[in-house]
């Protein structure tokens, strides 16, 4: 089966600019996650979707971050405006549902200058 | 104290060595335990998934969970240079609050 697909792989923007990341999960996976990974750290959850509903967004900085998962398949994560501290790898993952292992994409590496 | 503690290493071993990677955790509610391997500039790749205490073996990899001690391990036998990567432990709560909490990762280098 095809894996989780993310785009773009790399993005360089100036601070205060907007940026968006896209994720296509594995077919049939109802649960979708966005994780943030800083250098030398493990991934940290930003938001979790069950189908099109955001069921856990407690770690999402809502003043500048937003996400959507229309029709319960693809998802987009947006940052507006970006700050220097947002430089990191943004990982998307999907799973068949609760209590199933997560499968990750290769991430989008964001650099904010 | 972080929920999941993992020694970041780095760990360097000769080819053929047995590697032991470990994590401890503080939340006794964790029910699911995973190990991921992450190559440079790639996403984490699932290696092992378990939800009970005891051992689980898959080829050269063995995952061990000790819930009473809140301790999990990953053993790699006959290590190969291709095993050089960062290894992340991850743990999850069950039910409707299912999500993973990761360790920092251990950087492993296997020298030929």
């Amino acid at each position: 089966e095809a894996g989780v697909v993310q785009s773009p792989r790399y993005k360089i923007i100036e601070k205060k600019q907007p940026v968006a990341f896209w994720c296509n999960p594995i077919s049939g996976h109802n649960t979708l996650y966005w994780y943030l990974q800083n250098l030398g750290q493990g991934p940290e959850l930003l938001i979790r979707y069950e189908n099109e509903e955001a069921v856990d967004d407690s770690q999402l900085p809502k003043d500048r971050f937003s996400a959507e998962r229309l029709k319960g398949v693809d998802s987009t994560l947006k940052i507006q405006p970006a700050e220097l501290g947002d430089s990191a790898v943004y990982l998307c993952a999907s799973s068949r549902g609760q209590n199933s292992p997560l499968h990750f994409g290769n991430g989008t590496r964001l650099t904010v200058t | 104290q972080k929920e999941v503690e993992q020694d970041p290493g780095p760990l360097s071993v000769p080819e053929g060595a047995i590697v032991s990677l470990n994590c401890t955790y503080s939340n006794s509610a964790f029910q699911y335990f995973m190990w991921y391997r992450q190559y440079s500039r790639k996403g984490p790749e699932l290696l092992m998934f378990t939800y009970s205490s005891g051992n689980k073996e898959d080829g050269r990899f063995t995952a061990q969970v000790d819930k009473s001690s809140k301790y999990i391990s990953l053993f790699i036998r006959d290590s190969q240079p291709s095993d050089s990567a960062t290894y992340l432990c991850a743990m999850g709560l069950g039910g409707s609050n299912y999500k993973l909490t990761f360790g920092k990762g251990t950087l492993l280098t296997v020298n030929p």
Side-chain angles (χ1 to χ4, degrees), chain B residues 26-39:
Chain B
S26 57
N27 190 345
S28 58
F30 284 136
Q31 297 184 24
Y32 298 91
F33 305 89
M34 279 148 269
W35 285 95
Y36 285 84
R37 176 174 63 194
Q38 187 172 27
Y39 292 114

Side-chain angles (χ1 to χ4, degrees), chain A residues 9-10 33 35 37 40-45 48 56 58 91 95 97-107 109, chain B residues 2 8 32 34 36 38 40-46 49 88 93-105:
Chain A
R9 286 296 318 275
Y10 304 92
Y33 310 75
Y35 277 84
Q37 187 174 27
Q41 303 292 318
E44 297 176 10
L45 181 68
R48 173 169 64 106
D56 185 352
S58 58
L91 293 163
S95 70
Q98 295 173 9
N99 312 330
S100 299
L102 275 63
H103 299 270
F104 285 85
N106 283 323
R109 183 176 297 270
Chain B
K2 287 205 164 191
Y32 298 91
M34 279 148 269
Y36 285 84
Q38 187 172 27
S40 180
R41 298 186 180 271
K42 296 288 189 180
E45 170 193 9
L46 180 68
F49 174 80
L88 297 155
L93 302 171
S96 61
N97 198 28
Y98 181 68
K99 59 185 177 183
L100 296 188
T101 301
F102 283 82
K104 282 188 172 183

Side-chain angles (χ1 to χ4, degrees), chain A residues 72-113:
Chain A
V73 181
D74 295 359
S75 178
T76 303
L77 178 68
K78 298 178 181 178
I79 308 175
Q80 183 172 11
E83 296 179 352
L84 294 176
D86 296 332
S87 295
V89 177
Y90 292 82
L91 293 163
C92 179
S94 69
S95 70
R96 290 194 180 279
Q98 295 173 9
N99 312 330
S100 299
L102 275 63
H103 299 270
F104 285 85
N106 283 323
T108 296
R109 183 176 297 270
L110 173 68
T111 302
V112 182
T113 63

Side-chain angles (χ1 to χ4, degrees), chain A residues 45-64:
Chain A
L45 181 68
L46 289 172
I47 190 168
R48 173 169 64 106
Y49 282 92
E50 294 288 346
N51 299 302
E52 61 272 7
E53 181 183 1
V55 296
D56 185 352
D57 63 357
S58 58
Q59 301 303 311
L60 190 71
K62 298 180 185 64
D63 57 336
R64 298 184 299 107

Side-chain angles (χ1 to χ4, degrees), chain B residues 38-105:
Chain B
Q38 187 172 27
Y39 292 114
S40 180
R41 298 186 180 271
K42 296 288 189 180
E45 170 193 9
L46 180 68
L47 282 177
M48 303 289 278
F49 174 80
T50 184
Y51 54 87
S52 61
S53 283
N55 294 351
K56 181 177 180 179
E57 189 173 319
D58 185 359
R60 296 184 296 111
F61 298 91
T62 299
Q64 192 174 79
V65 175
D66 183 345
K67 287 187 177 180
S68 62
S69 300
K70 300 190 183 70
Y71 188 88
I72 70 170
S73 299
L74 178 71
F75 298 96
I76 308 174
R77 291 183 299 280
D78 187 25
S79 56
Q80 303 295 309
S82 59
D83 294 329
S84 298
T86 295
Y87 289 80
L88 297 155
C89 63
M91 306 177 190
L93 302 171
S96 61
N97 198 28
Y98 181 68
K99 59 185 177 183
L100 296 188
T101 301
F102 283 82
K104 282 188 172 183

